[in-house]
Amino acid sequence: MAGKREAPQQPASRAKTRRPSSGTSAQYDERSRGRQTYYGDEYAEHRKTSSSEYNGSRRPSGAGGRPPKGGRGKKKRRMPGWQKAIIIILVVLIVLMSAAVAAVVVVNGKLDLIKRIDIGNEAQTSENFDQDATGSDTTTDDQIQFATGKVDPDSDVVNFMLIGRDTGTMGDEVRTEDRGRSDSMMVVSLNRKTKQISIVSLMRDCYVKIPGYKNNKLNAAYSFGGYELMDQTVEENFGIHIDHNVGINFDGFQMVVDKLDGIDITLTQEEADYMELWGFAMEEGVNHMNGEEALAYARSRYVGTGKESNDFGRTYRQRVVVTQVFKELMSRPITQIMDILNSVMECVETDITSNADIMTYAYEVYNYGIDDLQAYRLPQDGEYQDETINKMAVLTVDWDKAQQHLREWLYSDTPVEAHNVDAAN
């Protein structure tokens, strides 16, 4: 019987290395794992340090550190600062664009409230004559030199005909809603080269040629054929092209002034006395007027002496009021301007069909500001004659000089020197 074989002894190099218990001095050989070797108390201190590091926010380096489950993991790359800045800018732009789109939608809705004029399809009326003169005629049509020339057009100049319509209410007086003679006529001109806004009052008593009708006063053209006939009459006599028309009635005018909390107007003693006749307590000097008071002042015709007691004084006062309203309006923030305009949309009419065009023109007016606002009147002193024709008190105009003024005021390549609106001339 063969003897029992003994198990062979393993080589010392392959013997398992037991991990020593805490506090012993036995060597814990981890060289096969590529780790540093620690002994006794040194090992305990190492484990304590490794554990505190690992429990923190950082993964410990060197011995004692273990990779997270699923692998050793990858180091997270930080986004460069310039990329963060671009993202922030894009987010801000998106928010602003969204707000702008919403604002455009709101503004478009408000602008839709404006009545649009159907140029070319306005009702025609039979002609009549405002026979306000007494005595015999002082001249005839054959003796009058009417306009023959025209002002060269300029694409950088946009002319608006602003009509004050004799409708709405004034005090206890209710005006007809039918189209009557235009109460006031002003050319508001934007010169895009000089960034200048000009206002030119056209005297209602100017004796003019009206296409398709007999010669008459200028304000009769609106009554006979609306805005289109008025534009044709202005071009025929004053020689300038009207690009767009805007009309506002008395109610709208009063609301604008009231929304501005009134405007300051300087009165003469005669004007203050006249305002008293309307029931408004005024005094010589600066007076703060509400909408109703400003309208009464703008329409006052029979006050003062000489030119001030007729349409010259009246158009002067209209220019003063419009200028003061414009200056006060332009001094307000754009949000308040939009709120004020929103309140009068239904009192305004225009032949500008595109809301985008209206906003473009409004931005230009706001951007140009009030520093270069100019106010004029045609005809100028010494360039007309008071005449009586067909029992009408009219002004026969030197049209060559009138057109020359318009070239200088509206179409000059350089800003026109400031004009004093506080003078009736």
Side-chain angles (χ1 to χ4, degrees), residues 136-151:
S136 58
D137 289 352
T138 59
T139 188
T140 64
D141 287 351
D142 294 337
Q143 297 173 302
I144 298 174
Q145 181 65 46
F146 287 97
T148 57
K150 291 187 183 299
V151 178

Side-chain angles (χ1 to χ4, degrees), residues 165-167 175-181 222:
R165 296 187 292 113
D166 203 7
T167 58
R175 298 283 173 162
T176 177
E177 289 299 325
D178 295 333
R179 186 182 69 219
R181 296 196 176 208
Y222 176 75

